[in-house]
Amino acid sequence: MSDSAVRQAYDRQAQDYDRRWSRYLRQTLTFLRSWAEILESAAVLDVGCGTGEFEWLLLHEQPNQRIVGVDLSEEMLRVARAKCGSFPNVSFIGASASHLPFPAQHFDTIVSASALHYFAEPNRCLSEMHRVLRRGGSLTILDWCKDYLLCRVYDAAFKLAQPAYKSSYTEREFCRMLASAGFQVKVSKKTSLTLVGGIMIATAIA
Ligand SMILES: C[S@@+](CC[C@H](N)C(=O)[O-])C[C@H]1O[C@@H](n2cnc3c(N)ncnc32)[C@H](O)[C@@H]1O
């Protein structure tokens, strides 16, 4: 469980990622899009942006959006840049969520989808998000939810078999982590994607 294990795992699957996960991406990212209120004037950061699927979705609605995606995997970022490069105000940067290369209070809005369970230092990553978000700005994170059976099974199996995987969390643990990083949780929700598996989402204010 380290940044280099995550980088290697995602460098390997970057070319195939969009096709392989298309149904999951459609479900999770349209949900995140409808949940996060993103003003067209906002400066947005996407932490663990992967192949830029969220940027693609958002920029088709709001083409002038200022948005920066950060990710550990250069291969995932390569796909993202090829996909979204024609939009004027999008950029993709190779960086870890535990050391975000931005000054304090640089962004109005932060989003992150399906990346929290990889963060080797989740509390540090959330503190970094708090640091770079302007006071009053909003963070919306979507991730697997350990309140669901399938997620608990995956959690146990991935901890044994996948060096890149860190942990998933229950909704309550997730909200506590947000509060310890200095956020005020505005609203959180868990929802099932299948009968036994599900995701959670929370919006919190810096
Ligand atoms: C399951 S993918 C999700 C990608 C994208 N958010 C989406 O919904 O398609 C997880 C991504 O998080 C990135 N990631 C994991 N840990 C990270 C960290 N500490 N800092 C930056 N990116 C990270 C991985 O490289 C990978 O691209």
Side-chain angles (χ1 to χ4, degrees):
M1 146 243 316
S2 69
D3 282 2
S4 67
V6 173
R7 189 177 298 114
Q8 277 175 24
Y10 277 95
D11 277 354
R12 272 199 302 271
Q13 61 175 294
Q15 286 306 322
D16 206 28
Y17 179 85
D18 289 356
R19 190 191 57 74
R20 184 170 171 202
W21 296 107
S22 63
R23 184 153 169 262
Y24 174 81
L25 291 173
R26 199 169 47 250
Q27 284 182 327
T28 52
L29 297 179
T30 50
F31 186 54
L32 175 63
R33 174 67 194 105
S34 65
W35 185 274
E37 287 162 15
I38 302 182
L39 296 177
E40 207 156 358
S41 57
V44 181
L45 172 66
D46 180 5
V47 180
C49 64
T51 58
E53 280 290 287
F54 184 73
E55 285 68 16
W56 180 249
L57 188 67
L58 180 61
L59 289 165
H60 273 83
E61 290 169 27
Q62 299 178 185
N64 291 316
Q65 189 80 52
R66 286 174 294 149
I67 182 160
V68 180
V70 299
D71 202 281
L72 284 171
S73 162
E74 270 307 320
E75 294 304 318
M76 295 290 271
L77 292 172
R78 193 193 302 275
V79 176
R81 290 184 189 112
K83 189 185 289 173
C84 301
S86 60
F87 291 94
N89 299 319
V90 63
S91 57
F92 295 98
I93 296 176
S96 171
S98 55
H99 297 277
L100 292 171
F102 309 105
Q105 303 202 39
H106 194 65
F107 295 97
D108 302 306
T109 303
I110 301 180
V111 294
S112 180
S114 306
L116 177 71
H117 57 271
Y118 289 109
F119 294 166
E121 302 175 287
N123 295 319
R124 185 187 168 105
C125 296
L126 293 175
S127 296
E128 273 294 88
M129 294 184 208
H130 188 267
R131 181 183 67 78
V132 302
L133 188 58
R134 77 162 163 77
R135 295 299 80 90
S138 74
L139 164 72
T140 302
I141 296 189
L142 173 150
D143 200 31
W144 299 351
C145 182
K146 209 176 160 183
D147 291 300
Y148 291 95
L149 176 65
L150 188 60
C151 197
R152 287 202 292 277
V153 172
Y154 279 154
D155 186 66
F158 288 173
K159 274 176 179 158
L160 289 175
Q162 286 203 4
Y165 180 84
K166 162 78 177 176
S167 184
S168 48
Y169 307 94
T170 64
E171 185 185 9
R172 182 184 287 204
E173 287 168 336
F174 176 42
C175 289
R176 279 208 197 114
M177 288 157 72
L178 287 166
S180 343
F183 288 100
Q184 189 189 340
V185 178
K186 195 169 128 193
V187 57
S188 72
K189 178 186 166 84
K190 51 180 177 280
T191 183
S192 61
L193 284 184
T194 64
L195 277 181
V196 286
I199 54 167
M200 60 190 174
I201 191 163
T203 293
I205 307 299

